[in-house]
Amino acid sequence: MDRASSTAVLREALAGSDAALDTLFERFGPRLLSFIRLRMGRSLRARLESRDILQATFLKSFQHMDDFEGQDGPTLLAWLMRIAEHEIRDRADFHRRQQRDAQQEDDLRDHPELVARSRSALSRLILDERAERVEAALESLTDGHRQVILLRAFEELSFPEIARRLGKSEDACRMQFARAMTALTLVVSKPSAS
């Protein structure tokens, strides 16, 4: 889906089209799940389920779609990533405290229609074997390489934006991204040990 068609589908979704909303989440779901898994890291994923974070992200986006002010797919993806990051942080804090704060967490039983819609979308995108292989490869990279790939490929930031975010020069960020992609390619191209 190109940027123009993504924008058209987004406008239909904002106007209330369930089919358009499903199309957007099918498009962004796999990337968002990969983003969530990478942001959580291995240790947090051992305690929390990334698919639960994805479902909660979708539910919150359904509930707050009127708050979305963007006009295109990349803006929507960035908005979804911010929701996911907040959800990860909230659940990690909750997990550390080991107590439930009922005011911060919606009871999903109160929203059965949203749960059904998000499960339907999730069931179509969760078991993508190639995405899991790429995620495993990304996890094997250094934190710096993984971070620059997340910023460039997932958040779709420009190199000047990445440089500002990382506090490095634009050239250094370009070189780091090139080295990260080379390392990723080497890991992904290794035959799997089956």
Side-chain angles (χ1 to χ4, degrees):
M1 183 182 304
D2 63 17
R3 191 176 198 125
S5 62
S6 176
T7 302
V9 172
L10 177 59
R11 286 189 178 132
E12 289 175 29
L14 291 172
S17 167
D18 288 343
L21 195 57
D22 287 344
T23 299
L24 286 173
F25 287 121
E26 283 177 23
R27 176 181 180 211
F28 295 121
R31 269 176 99 174
L32 189 57
L33 183 60
S34 294
F35 175 80
I36 289 167
R37 287 179 176 160
L38 292 169
R39 277 291 186 216
M40 288 174 69
R42 204 172 277 168
S43 64
L44 191 54
R45 270 200 332 271
R47 294 175 284 159
L48 299 174
E49 177 58 52
S50 53
R51 293 176 184 138
D52 290 344
I53 303 288
L54 178 62
Q55 183 175 4
T57 299
F58 279 164
L59 287 171
K60 287 182 179 177
S61 69
F62 285 140
Q63 293 168 337
H64 300 286
M65 190 56 84
D66 292 341
D67 297 339
F68 177 67
E69 297 176 357
Q71 294 296 318
D72 58 23
T75 307
L76 177 64
L77 182 60
W79 183 68
L80 290 169
M81 287 178 176
R82 281 193 309 276
I83 292 171
E85 285 179 331
H86 289 290
E87 188 65 24
I88 291 166
R89 186 187 62 239
D90 290 348
R91 288 189 184 218
D93 289 347
F94 169 78
H95 191 270
R96 281 191 289 271
R97 288 189 313 266
Q98 291 297 313
Q99 60 186 359
R100 182 180 282 273
D101 181 356
Q103 294 176 343
Q104 287 185 354
E105 199 166 312
D106 282 349
D107 186 356
L108 297 180
R109 291 173 292 198
D110 291 343
H111 309 286
E113 71 289 348
L114 296 178
V115 171
R117 285 179 63 200
S118 66
R119 281 193 183 140
S120 172
L122 288 174
S123 67
R124 291 188 296 260
L125 56 91
I126 285 176
L127 298 176
D128 182 356
E129 194 173 306
R130 186 171 180 199
E132 289 180 14
R133 184 172 165 97
V134 171
E135 289 166 18
L138 281 166
E139 285 181 0
S140 72
L141 299 177
T142 66
D143 287 341
H145 283 171
R146 190 170 43 253
Q147 183 179 28
V148 76
I149 288 174
L150 282 172
L151 293 172
R152 181 71 176 156
F154 284 82
E155 294 189 37
E156 299 179 351
L157 297 180
S158 66
F159 283 108
E161 292 168 320
I162 294 170
R164 281 191 297 279
R165 180 92 58 100
L166 298 180
K168 296 182 176 185
S169 73
E170 191 176 328
D171 287 340
C173 291
R174 286 180 193 280
M175 289 174 23
Q176 183 178 358
F177 181 72
R179 286 191 303 269
M181 291 305 293
T182 300
L184 180 63
T185 302
L186 291 173
V187 173
V188 170
S189 64
K190 284 184 187 175
S192 62
S194 308

